[in-house]
Coordinates of all heavy atoms in Angstrom, one line a residue:
M1 N 3.3 -3.8 -4.0 CA 3.6 -3.7 -5.4 C 2.5 -3.4 -6.3 O 1.6 -4.2 -6.4 CB 4.4 -5.0 -5.8 CG 5.8 -5.2 -5.1 SD 6.6 -6.7 -5.6 CE 5.8 -7.7 -4.4
A2 N 2.5 -2.2 -6.8 CA 1.3 -1.7 -7.7 C 1.3 -2.4 -9.0 O 2.4 -2.8 -9.5 CB 1.4 -0.3 -7.7
G3 N 0.2 -2.6 -9.6 CA 0.2 -3.0 -10.9 C 0.0 -4.6 -11.0 O 0.2 -5.3 -10.1
T4 N -0.4 -5.0 -12.3 CA -0.4 -6.4 -12.5 C 0.6 -6.7 -13.5 O 0.8 -6.0 -14.6 CB -1.7 -6.8 -13.2 OG1 -2.8 -6.4 -12.1 CG2 -1.9 -8.3 -13.4
F5 N 1.4 -7.8 -13.2 CA 2.5 -8.1 -14.1 C 2.4 -9.7 -14.5 O 1.9 -10.5 -13.8 CB 3.8 -8.2 -13.3 CG 4.2 -6.8 -12.9 CD1 3.8 -6.4 -11.5 CD2 4.6 -5.8 -13.6 CE1 4.0 -5.1 -11.0 CE2 4.9 -4.5 -13.2 CZ 4.6 -4.1 -11.9
T6 N 2.7 -9.9 -15.7 CA 2.9 -11.2 -16.2 C 4.3 -11.8 -15.8 O 5.1 -11.0 -15.3 CB 2.9 -11.3 -17.7 OG1 4.0 -10.7 -18.3 CG2 1.5 -10.8 -18.3
P7 N 4.5 -13.1 -15.8 CA 5.7 -13.7 -15.2 C 7.0 -13.1 -15.7 O 8.0 -13.2 -15.2 CB 5.6 -15.1 -15.5 CG 4.2 -15.4 -15.7 CD 3.6 -14.1 -16.2
Y8 N 7.0 -12.5 -16.9 CA 8.1 -12.0 -17.7 C 8.3 -10.4 -17.8 O 9.0 -9.9 -18.5 CB 8.3 -12.7 -18.9 CG 8.3 -14.1 -18.8 CD1 7.3 -15.0 -19.2 CD2 9.4 -14.8 -18.3 CE1 7.2 -16.3 -19.1 CE2 9.5 -16.2 -18.2 CZ 8.4 -16.8 -18.5 OH 8.4 -18.3 -18.4
E9 N 7.4 -9.7 -17.1 CA 7.4 -8.3 -17.0 C 8.0 -7.8 -15.6 O 7.4 -8.2 -14.5 CB 6.1 -7.7 -17.1 CG 5.5 -8.0 -18.6 CD 4.1 -7.5 -18.8 OE1 3.5 -7.1 -17.7 OE2 3.7 -7.3 -19.9
F10 N 9.0 -7.1 -15.6 CA 9.5 -6.6 -14.3 C 9.9 -5.1 -14.4 O 10.4 -4.6 -15.4 CB 10.9 -7.2 -14.0 CG 10.6 -8.6 -13.7 CD1 11.1 -9.7 -14.7 CD2 10.1 -9.2 -12.5 CE1 11.0 -11.0 -14.5 CE2 10.1 -10.7 -12.3 CZ 10.4 -11.5 -13.3
P11 N 9.5 -4.4 -13.3 CA 10.0 -2.9 -13.4 C 11.4 -2.8 -13.1 O 12.1 -3.9 -12.7 CB 9.1 -2.3 -12.2 CG 8.2 -3.4 -11.7 CD 8.6 -4.6 -12.3
Y12 N 12.0 -1.7 -13.2 CA 13.5 -1.5 -13.1 C 13.7 -0.1 -12.2 O 12.7 0.7 -12.2 CB 14.2 -1.5 -14.3 CG 13.9 -0.4 -15.2 CD1 14.7 0.9 -15.1 CD2 12.9 -0.3 -16.1 CE1 14.4 2.0 -15.8 CE2 12.6 0.8 -16.9 CZ 13.4 1.9 -16.8 OH 13.1 2.9 -17.5
E13 N 14.9 -0.1 -11.7 CA 15.3 1.2 -11.0 C 16.8 1.4 -11.3 O 17.5 0.4 -11.4 CB 15.2 1.0 -9.6 CG 15.4 2.2 -8.7 CD 14.9 2.2 -7.3 OE1 14.0 1.5 -7.0 OE2 15.5 2.9 -6.6
T14 N 17.0 2.6 -11.6 CA 18.5 2.8 -11.9 C 19.2 3.3 -10.6 O 18.7 3.9 -9.8 CB 18.6 4.0 -13.0 OG1 18.0 5.3 -12.4 CG2 18.0 3.7 -14.3
V15 N 20.5 3.0 -10.5 CA 21.4 3.3 -9.5 C 22.6 4.0 -10.1 O 23.4 3.3 -10.9 CB 21.8 2.2 -8.7 CG1 22.7 2.6 -7.5 CG2 20.6 1.4 -8.1
A16 N 22.8 5.3 -9.8 CA 23.9 6.0 -10.4 C 25.3 5.7 -9.7 O 25.2 4.9 -8.7 CB 23.7 7.5 -10.1
A17 N 26.3 6.1 -10.3 CA 27.6 5.8 -9.7 C 27.8 6.4 -8.4 O 27.1 7.4 -8.1 CB 28.7 6.3 -10.7
S18 N 28.6 6.1 -7.5 CA 28.8 6.6 -6.2 C 27.7 6.7 -5.3 O 27.6 7.7 -4.4 CB 29.5 7.9 -6.3 OG 30.7 7.8 -7.1
Q19 N 26.8 5.8 -5.3 CA 25.7 5.7 -4.4 C 25.9 4.8 -3.2 O 26.7 3.7 -3.4 CB 24.4 5.2 -5.1 CG 24.0 6.1 -6.4 CD 23.6 7.5 -5.7 OE1 22.8 7.7 -4.9 NE2 24.3 8.5 -6.4
T20 N 25.5 5.1 -2.1 CA 25.7 4.4 -0.8 C 24.3 4.0 -0.4 O 23.5 4.6 0.1 CB 26.4 5.1 0.3 OG1 27.6 5.5 -0.3 CG2 26.7 4.3 1.5
G21 N 24.0 2.6 -0.3 CA 22.8 2.0 0.1 C 21.5 2.5 -0.4 O 20.6 2.7 0.2
Q22 N 21.5 2.7 -1.8 CA 20.3 3.2 -2.4 C 19.2 2.1 -2.4 O 19.3 1.0 -2.9 CB 20.5 3.6 -3.8 CG 19.2 4.0 -4.5 CD 19.3 4.5 -5.9 OE1 20.3 5.1 -6.2 NE2 18.4 4.1 -6.8
V23 N 18.1 2.4 -1.6 CA 17.1 1.3 -1.5 C 16.4 1.1 -2.8 O 16.1 2.2 -3.5 CB 16.0 1.8 -0.4 CG1 14.9 0.9 -0.3 CG2 16.7 1.9 0.9
L24 N 16.1 -0.1 -3.2 CA 15.4 -0.4 -4.4 C 13.8 -0.4 -4.1 O 13.3 -1.0 -3.1 CB 15.7 -1.6 -4.9 CG 17.3 -1.8 -5.3 CD1 17.6 -3.2 -5.8 CD2 17.6 -0.8 -6.3
G25 N 13.1 0.5 -4.8 CA 11.7 0.6 -4.6 C 11.5 1.9 -3.5 O 12.5 2.5 -3.2
G26 N 10.3 2.4 -3.4 CA 10.1 3.6 -2.6 C 10.6 3.3 -1.1 O 11.3 4.0 -0.6
T27 N 10.1 2.1 -0.5 CA 10.6 1.9 0.9 C 11.4 0.5 0.9 O 12.2 0.2 1.7 CB 9.4 1.8 1.7 OG1 8.4 0.8 1.3 CG2 8.7 3.1 1.8
G28 N 11.1 -0.4 -0.1 CA 11.6 -1.7 0.0 C 11.0 -2.5 1.2 O 10.6 -1.9 2.1
A29 N 11.1 -3.8 1.2 CA 10.6 -4.7 2.3 C 11.1 -6.0 2.0 O 11.6 -6.6 1.0 CB 9.2 -4.7 2.2
T30 N 11.1 -6.8 3.2 CA 11.4 -8.2 3.1 C 10.5 -8.9 2.1 O 9.3 -8.6 2.1 CB 11.2 -8.9 4.6 OG1 12.1 -8.3 5.5 CG2 11.4 -10.3 4.6
G31 N 11.0 -9.8 1.4 CA 10.1 -10.5 0.3 C 10.3 -9.8 -1.1 O 9.8 -10.3 -2.1
D32 N 10.8 -8.6 -1.2 CA 11.1 -8.1 -2.6 C 12.0 -8.9 -3.3 O 12.8 -9.7 -2.9 CB 11.7 -6.6 -2.4 CG 10.6 -5.6 -2.0 OD1 9.5 -5.8 -1.7 OD2 11.0 -4.5 -1.9
Y33 N 11.8 -8.8 -4.6 CA 12.4 -9.8 -5.6 C 13.4 -9.1 -6.5 O 13.0 -8.1 -7.1 CB 11.3 -10.5 -6.5 CG 11.9 -11.4 -7.4 CD1 12.2 -12.6 -7.1 CD2 11.8 -11.0 -8.8 CE1 12.7 -13.6 -8.0 CE2 12.3 -12.0 -9.7 CZ 12.6 -13.2 -9.4 OH 13.1 -14.0 -10.3
V34 N 14.7 -9.4 -6.5 CA 15.6 -8.9 -7.6 C 15.8 -10.0 -8.6 O 16.3 -11.2 -8.2 CB 16.9 -8.4 -7.0 CG1 17.6 -9.3 -6.2 CG2 17.6 -7.6 -7.9
H35 N 15.5 -9.7 -9.8 CA 15.7 -10.6 -11.0 C 17.0 -10.5 -11.5 O 17.7 -11.5 -11.7 CB 14.6 -10.3 -12.0 CG 14.7 -11.1 -13.2 ND1 14.7 -12.5 -13.4 CD2 14.9 -10.6 -14.5 CE1 14.9 -12.9 -14.5 NE2 14.9 -11.7 -15.3
R36 N 17.6 -9.3 -11.8 CA 18.8 -9.2 -12.5 C 19.3 -7.8 -12.2 O 18.7 -6.7 -12.1 CB 18.5 -9.3 -14.1 CG 19.7 -8.9 -14.9 CD 19.4 -9.2 -16.3 NE 19.1 -10.5 -16.6 CZ 18.1 -10.9 -17.5 NH1 17.3 -10.2 -18.1 NH2 18.0 -12.3 -17.7
L37 N 20.7 -7.7 -12.2 CA 21.4 -6.4 -12.2 C 22.1 -6.3 -13.5 O 22.9 -7.2 -13.9 CB 22.4 -6.5 -11.0 CG 21.8 -6.5 -9.6 CD1 22.9 -6.4 -8.6 CD2 20.7 -5.5 -9.4
I38 N 22.0 -5.2 -14.1 CA 22.6 -4.8 -15.5 C 23.7 -3.8 -15.0 O 23.3 -2.7 -14.6 CB 21.8 -4.4 -16.4 CG1 20.7 -5.4 -16.8 CG2 22.5 -4.1 -17.7 CD1 19.6 -5.1 -17.5
I39 N 24.9 -4.1 -15.0 CA 26.0 -3.2 -14.6 C 26.8 -2.7 -15.7 O 27.3 -3.4 -16.5 CB 27.0 -4.0 -13.5 CG1 26.2 -4.6 -12.4 CG2 28.1 -3.1 -13.1 CD1 26.9 -5.7 -11.7
S40 N 27.0 -1.4 -15.7 CA 27.8 -0.8 -16.6 C 29.1 -0.2 -16.0 O 29.0 0.5 -15.1 CB 27.0 0.6 -17.2 OG 27.8 1.1 -18.2
V41 N 30.2 -0.8 -16.5 CA 31.6 -0.5 -16.0 C 32.2 0.5 -16.8 O 32.4 0.3 -18.1 CB 32.4 -1.8 -15.8 CG1 33.8 -1.5 -15.4 CG2 31.8 -2.8 -14.8
V42 N 32.5 1.7 -16.3 CA 33.2 2.7 -17.1 C 34.6 2.8 -16.7 O 35.6 2.9 -17.5 CB 32.5 4.1 -16.8 CG1 33.2 5.2 -17.6 CG2 31.0 4.0 -17.3
T43 N 35.0 2.9 -15.4 CA 36.3 2.9 -14.9 C 36.6 1.7 -14.1 O 36.0 1.4 -13.0 CB 36.4 4.1 -13.9 OG1 36.0 5.3 -14.7 CG2 37.8 4.4 -13.5
V44 N 37.4 0.9 -14.5 CA 37.7 -0.5 -13.9 C 38.0 -0.4 -12.4 O 37.6 -1.1 -11.5 CB 38.8 -1.2 -14.7 CG1 39.1 -2.4 -14.0 CG2 38.3 -1.6 -16.1
A45 N 39.0 0.5 -12.1 CA 39.5 0.5 -10.7 C 38.4 0.9 -9.7 O 38.6 0.5 -8.4 CB 40.7 1.6 -10.5
T46 N 37.5 1.6 -10.1 CA 36.4 2.0 -9.1 C 35.0 1.3 -9.4 O 34.0 1.9 -8.9 CB 36.3 3.4 -9.0 OG1 36.0 4.0 -10.3 CG2 37.4 4.1 -8.4
A47 N 34.9 0.2 -10.1 CA 33.7 -0.3 -10.6 C 33.2 -1.4 -9.6 O 33.1 -2.6 -10.0 CB 33.9 -0.9 -12.0
S48 N 33.0 -1.0 -8.3 CA 32.4 -1.9 -7.3 C 30.9 -1.8 -7.2 O 30.4 -0.8 -7.3 CB 33.1 -1.7 -6.0 OG 32.7 -0.4 -5.6
V49 N 30.2 -3.0 -7.1 CA 28.7 -3.1 -6.8 C 28.6 -4.0 -5.7 O 29.1 -5.2 -5.8 CB 28.1 -3.5 -8.1 CG1 26.5 -3.7 -7.8 CG2 28.3 -2.5 -9.2
T50 N 27.8 -3.6 -4.7 CA 27.4 -4.5 -3.6 C 25.9 -4.4 -3.4 O 25.4 -3.3 -3.4 CB 28.0 -4.0 -2.2 OG1 29.5 -4.0 -2.4 CG2 27.8 -5.0 -1.1
L51 N 25.3 -5.5 -3.3 CA 23.9 -5.6 -3.1 C 23.7 -6.0 -1.5 O 24.4 -6.8 -1.0 CB 23.3 -6.9 -4.0 CG 21.8 -7.2 -3.9 CD1 21.0 -6.0 -4.3 CD2 21.5 -8.4 -4.6
L52 N 22.8 -5.3 -1.0 CA 22.5 -5.5 0.4 C 21.1 -6.0 0.7 O 20.2 -5.4 0.0 CB 22.8 -4.3 1.2 CG 24.2 -3.7 1.2 CD1 24.4 -2.6 0.3 CD2 24.7 -3.3 2.7
D53 N 21.0 -7.1 1.5 CA 19.7 -7.5 1.8 C 19.5 -7.1 3.3 O 20.0 -7.9 4.3 CB 19.8 -9.1 1.7 CG 18.3 -9.7 2.1 OD1 17.4 -9.1 2.5 OD2 18.3 -11.0 2.1
G54 N 19.0 -6.1 3.7 CA 19.0 -5.6 5.0 C 20.4 -5.2 5.3 O 20.8 -4.3 4.8
A55 N 21.0 -6.0 6.2 CA 22.3 -5.6 6.7 C 23.4 -6.7 6.0 O 24.6 -6.5 6.4 CB 22.4 -5.7 8.2
T56 N 23.0 -7.5 5.3 CA 23.9 -8.6 4.7 C 24.3 -8.1 3.4 O 23.5 -7.9 2.4 CB 23.1 -9.9 4.5 OG1 22.6 -10.4 5.9 CG2 24.1 -11.0 3.9
S57 N 25.8 -8.1 3.3 CA 26.3 -7.6 2.0 C 26.6 -8.8 1.1 O 27.1 -9.7 1.5 CB 27.6 -6.9 2.4 OG 27.4 -5.7 3.0
I58 N 26.3 -8.5 -0.1 CA 26.6 -9.5 -1.1 C 27.4 -8.8 -2.2 O 26.8 -8.0 -3.1 CB 25.2 -10.2 -1.8 CG1 24.5 -10.7 -0.8 CG2 25.7 -11.1 -2.9 CD1 23.0 -11.0 -1.2
V59 N 28.7 -9.0 -2.4 CA 29.6 -8.4 -3.4 C 29.3 -8.9 -4.8 O 29.5 -10.2 -4.9 CB 31.1 -8.5 -2.9 CG1 32.0 -7.9 -4.0 CG2 31.3 -7.9 -1.6
I60 N 28.9 -8.2 -5.5 CA 28.7 -8.6 -7.1 C 29.7 -8.3 -7.8 O 30.2 -9.1 -8.7 CB 27.4 -7.8 -7.5 CG1 26.2 -8.1 -6.6 CG2 27.1 -8.3 -8.9 CD1 25.6 -9.4 -6.5
L61 N 30.4 -7.2 -7.7 CA 31.5 -6.8 -8.6 C 32.6 -6.1 -7.8 O 32.2 -5.1 -7.0 CB 31.0 -6.0 -9.7 CG 32.1 -5.6 -10.9 CD1 32.4 -6.8 -11.6 CD2 31.4 -4.5 -11.7
T62 N 33.7 -6.2 -7.9 CA 35.0 -5.6 -7.3 C 35.7 -4.7 -8.3 O 35.9 -5.2 -9.4 CB 35.8 -6.4 -6.4 OG1 36.4 -7.3 -7.3 CG2 35.2 -7.1 -5.3
G63 N 36.1 -3.6 -8.0 CA 37.1 -2.9 -8.8 C 38.5 -3.5 -8.9 O 39.3 -3.4 -7.9
A64 N 38.8 -4.3 -10.0 CA 40.1 -5.1 -10.1 C 40.4 -5.2 -11.5 O 39.7 -4.8 -12.3 CB 39.8 -6.5 -9.5
A65 N 41.7 -5.4 -11.6 CA 42.4 -5.5 -12.9 C 41.8 -6.5 -13.8 O 41.9 -6.5 -15.0 CB 43.9 -5.8 -12.7
T66 N 41.1 -7.5 -13.2 CA 40.5 -8.5 -14.0 C 39.0 -8.1 -14.7 O 38.6 -8.9 -15.5 CB 40.2 -9.9 -13.3 OG1 39.5 -9.5 -12.1 CG2 41.6 -10.5 -12.8
V67 N 38.5 -7.1 -14.2 CA 37.4 -6.5 -14.7 C 37.6 -5.6 -16.0 O 38.7 -4.9 -15.9 CB 36.6 -5.6 -13.7 CG1 35.2 -5.0 -14.2 CG2 36.3 -6.5 -12.5
V68 N 36.7 -5.7 -16.9 CA 37.0 -4.9 -18.2 C 35.8 -4.0 -18.4 O 34.7 -4.3 -18.0 CB 37.3 -5.7 -19.5 CG1 38.6 -6.5 -19.3 CG2 36.0 -6.6 -19.8
P69 N 36.0 -2.8 -19.0 CA 34.9 -1.9 -19.2 C 33.8 -2.6 -20.0 O 34.1 -3.5 -21.0 CB 35.5 -0.7 -19.9 CG 36.8 -0.7 -19.5 CD 37.3 -2.3 -19.4
G70 N 32.6 -2.4 -19.8 CA 31.5 -2.9 -20.6 C 30.3 -3.1 -19.8 O 30.1 -2.6 -18.6
I71 N 29.3 -3.9 -20.3 CA 28.1 -4.2 -19.7 C 28.0 -5.7 -19.1 O 28.4 -6.5 -19.8 CB 26.8 -4.0 -20.7 CG1 26.9 -2.6 -21.3 CG2 25.5 -4.3 -19.9 CD1 26.8 -1.4 -20.4
Y72 N 27.6 -5.8 -17.9 CA 27.6 -7.1 -17.2 C 26.1 -7.4 -16.8 O 25.5 -6.5 -16.2 CB 28.5 -7.2 -16.0 CG 29.8 -7.1 -16.3 CD1 30.5 -5.8 -16.5 CD2 30.6 -8.2 -16.4 CE1 31.9 -5.9 -16.8 CE2 32.0 -8.2 -16.6 CZ 32.7 -6.9 -16.9 OH 33.9 -6.8 -17.1
S73 N 25.6 -8.4 -17.2 CA 24.1 -8.8 -16.7 C 24.3 -10.0 -15.7 O 24.9 -11.0 -16.1 CB 23.3 -9.3 -18.0 OG 22.0 -9.5 -17.6
V74 N 23.9 -9.7 -14.5 CA 24.0 -10.7 -13.5 C 22.7 -11.2 -13.1 O 21.9 -10.4 -12.4 CB 24.8 -10.1 -12.3 CG1 24.9 -11.1 -11.2 CG2 26.0 -9.5 -12.7
E75 N 22.3 -12.5 -13.4 CA 21.1 -13.1 -13.0 C 21.1 -13.5 -11.5 O 22.0 -14.2 -11.1 CB 20.8 -14.3 -13.9 CG 19.5 -14.8 -13.9 CD 18.5 -14.2 -14.9 OE1 19.0 -13.6 -15.7 OE2 17.3 -14.5 -14.9
L76 N 20.2 -13.0 -10.8 CA 20.1 -13.3 -9.4 C 18.8 -14.1 -9.0 O 18.9 -15.1 -8.2 CB 20.1 -12.1 -8.5 CG 21.5 -11.2 -8.8 CD1 21.3 -10.0 -8.0 CD2 22.5 -12.1 -8.1
N77 N 17.5 -13.7 -9.3 CA 16.5 -14.4 -9.0 C 16.3 -14.7 -7.5 O 16.1 -15.8 -7.1 CB 16.2 -15.6 -9.7 CG 15.9 -15.3 -11.3 OD1 15.3 -14.3 -11.5 ND2 16.7 -16.0 -12.1
M78 N 16.5 -13.6 -6.7 CA 16.4 -13.7 -5.3 C 15.4 -12.9 -4.4 O 15.0 -11.8 -5.0 CB 17.9 -13.3 -4.6 CG 19.0 -14.2 -5.2 SD 20.6 -13.5 -5.0 CE 20.7 -13.2 -3.2
R79 N 14.8 -13.3 -3.4 CA 14.0 -12.7 -2.7 C 14.7 -12.2 -1.4 O 15.5 -13.0 -0.8 CB 12.7 -13.5 -2.1 CG 11.8 -13.8 -3.2 CD 10.3 -14.0 -2.7 NE 9.5 -14.3 -3.8 CZ 8.8 -13.3 -4.5 NH1 9.0 -12.0 -4.2 NH2 8.0 -13.7 -5.5
S80 N 14.3 -11.0 -0.9 CA 15.0 -10.4 0.3 C 14.5 -11.3 1.5 O 13.4 -11.5 1.6 CB 14.7 -9.0 0.4 OG 15.2 -8.5 1.7
A81 N 15.5 -11.6 2.3 CA 15.2 -12.4 3.6 C 15.1 -11.5 4.8 O 14.5 -11.9 5.8 CB 16.2 -13.4 3.7
S82 N 15.9 -10.3 4.7 CA 15.9 -9.5 6.0 C 15.7 -8.0 5.8 O 16.4 -7.3 6.6 CB 17.2 -9.9 6.6 OG 18.2 -9.5 5.9
G83 N 14.9 -7.6 4.9 CA 14.8 -6.1 4.7 C 14.8 -5.7 3.2 O 14.8 -6.5 2.4
A84 N 14.8 -4.5 3.1 CA 14.8 -3.9 1.7 C 16.1 -4.3 1.0 O 17.1 -4.3 1.7 CB 14.6 -2.3 1.7
W85 N 16.1 -4.5 -0.3 CA 17.2 -4.5 -1.1 C 17.8 -3.1 -1.3 O 17.0 -2.1 -1.4 CB 17.0 -5.0 -2.5 CG 16.6 -6.5 -2.6 CD1 15.5 -7.0 -3.0 CD2 17.4 -7.7 -2.2 NE1 15.5 -8.3 -3.0 CE2 16.9 -8.8 -2.7 CE3 18.8 -7.7 -1.8 CZ2 17.3 -10.1 -2.5 CZ3 19.3 -9.0 -1.8 CH2 18.5 -10.2 -2.0
S86 N 19.2 -3.0 -1.1 CA 19.8 -1.7 -1.5 C 21.1 -2.0 -2.2 O 21.6 -3.1 -2.1 CB 20.0 -0.9 -0.3 OG 20.8 -1.5 0.7
I87 N 21.6 -1.0 -2.9 CA 22.9 -1.1 -3.7 C 23.7 0.0 -3.4 O 23.4 1.1 -3.3 CB 22.5 -1.1 -5.3 CG1 21.6 -2.4 -5.6 CG2 23.8 -1.1 -6.1 CD1 21.3 -2.7 -7.0
T88 N 25.0 -0.4 -3.4 CA 26.1 0.6 -3.2 C 27.0 0.5 -4.4 O 27.4 -0.7 -4.8 CB 26.9 0.3 -1.8 OG1 26.1 0.5 -0.7 CG2 28.2 1.3 -1.8
T89 N 27.3 1.5 -5.1 CA 28.2 1.6 -6.3 C 29.4 2.3 -6.1 O 29.3 3.3 -5.5 CB 27.5 2.0 -7.5 OG1 26.8 3.4 -7.3 CG2 26.3 1.2 -7.9
G90 N 30.4 2.0 -6.7 CA 31.7 2.7 -6.8 C 31.5 3.8 -7.9 O 30.6 3.8 -8.6
A91 N 32.6 4.6 -7.9 CA 32.5 5.7 -8.9 C 32.6 5.3 -10.3 O 32.1 6.1 -11.3 CB 33.7 6.7 -8.6
G92 N 33.0 4.0 -10.6 CA 33.2 3.5 -12.0 C 32.0 2.6 -12.5 O 32.1 2.0 -13.5
A93 N 31.0 2.6 -11.8 CA 29.9 1.6 -12.2 C 28.4 2.3 -12.0 O 28.2 2.9 -11.0 CB 29.9 0.3 -11.5
T94 N 27.6 2.0 -12.8 CA 26.2 2.3 -12.6 C 25.3 0.9 -12.7 O 26.0 0.0 -13.3 CB 25.6 3.3 -13.7 OG1 25.7 2.8 -15.0 CG2 26.3 4.5 -13.6
V95 N 24.1 0.9 -12.2 CA 23.3 -0.3 -12.3 C 21.9 0.0 -12.7 O 21.4 1.1 -12.2 CB 23.3 -0.8 -10.8 CG1 22.5 -2.1 -10.7 CG2 24.7 -1.3 -10.3
I96 N 21.3 -1.0 -13.4 CA 19.9 -1.1 -13.5 C 19.5 -2.3 -12.9 O 19.9 -3.4 -13.2 CB 19.5 -1.1 -15.0 CG1 19.9 0.1 -15.8 CG2 18.0 -1.3 -15.1 CD1 19.8 0.0 -17.3
A97 N 18.6 -2.2 -11.8 CA 18.1 -3.2 -11.0 C 16.8 -3.6 -11.6 O 15.8 -2.8 -11.6 CB 18.1 -2.9 -9.5
V98 N 16.6 -4.8 -11.9 CA 15.3 -5.3 -12.5 C 14.7 -6.3 -11.4 O 15.3 -7.2 -11.1 CB 15.5 -6.1 -13.8 CG1 14.3 -6.6 -14.4 CG2 16.3 -5.1 -14.7
G99 N 13.4 -6.1 -11.1 CA 12.7 -6.9 -10.1 C 11.3 -6.3 -9.7 O 10.9 -5.4 -10.4
R100 N 11.0 -6.7 -8.6 CA 9.7 -6.2 -8.0 C 10.1 -5.7 -6.6 O 10.3 -6.4 -5.7 CB 8.6 -7.4 -8.0 CG 8.3 -7.8 -9.3 CD 6.9 -8.2 -9.5 NE 6.6 -8.5 -10.9 CZ 6.3 -9.7 -11.4 NH1 6.2 -10.7 -10.6 NH2 5.9 -9.9 -12.7
F101 N 9.9 -4.4 -6.5 CA 10.4 -3.7 -5.2 C 9.1 -2.9 -4.7 O 8.4 -2.3 -5.3 CB 11.4 -2.8 -5.5 CG 12.6 -3.3 -6.3 CD1 12.9 -3.0 -7.6 CD2 13.3 -4.5 -5.8 CE1 13.9 -3.6 -8.3 CE2 14.4 -5.0 -6.6 CZ 14.6 -4.5 -7.9
S102 N 9.0 -3.1 -3.3 CA 7.9 -2.4 -2.7 C 7.9 -0.9 -2.8 O 9.0 -0.2 -2.7 CB 7.8 -2.6 -1.2 OG 7.7 -4.0 -0.9
A103 N 6.9 -0.3 -3.1 CA 6.8 1.2 -3.4 C 6.7 2.0 -2.1 O 6.6 1.5 -1.0 CB 5.4 1.5 -4.1

């Protein structure tokens, strides 16, 4: 991870709608840190977001009637245990991933 950061400064990466397994960071690695996901829901029925830690899926948001359009900030503060973090989005959601990801 290039650069020097204070405890409250984190780089970010954007993830467009309809992405499958977009790796966070250039290559990503075990030990990378995801601080927060900022999710923009545009179309409720297809607003799914899944965070993957290597091969382990963590469902963050599902396209369901209980979801409303808007911005969701999901605090995670997690380190990857088994590989690069990656994100899969449905057609109705975009993500800004905030954390420290390997270049």
Side-chain angles (χ1 to χ4, degrees):
M1 293 177 272
T4 303
F5 301 98
T6 64
Y8 302 104
E9 293 177 343
F10 296 102
Y12 66 91
E13 184 168 333
T14 60
V15 182
S18 300
Q19 298 300 302
T20 302
Q22 179 178 321
V23 173
L24 299 178
T27 58
T30 298
D32 281 2
Y33 178 77
V34 62
H35 173 59
R36 173 180 293 141
L37 299 180
I38 302 166
I39 304 167
S40 176
V41 173
V42 179
T43 307
V44 173
T46 57
S48 61
V49 175
T50 302
L51 178 67
L52 294 100
D53 178 3
T56 304
S57 296
I58 304 165
V59 176
I60 304 295
L61 186 71
T62 60
T66 57
V67 177
V68 296
I71 306 293
Y72 294 82
S73 181
V74 181
E75 190 91 10
L76 295 170
N77 295 315
M78 297 166 52
R79 288 207 180 273
S80 173
S82 63
W85 288 116
S86 62
I87 294 183
T88 296
T89 55
T94 61
V95 174
I96 298 171
V98 180
R100 297 207 174 123
F101 312 114
S102 297

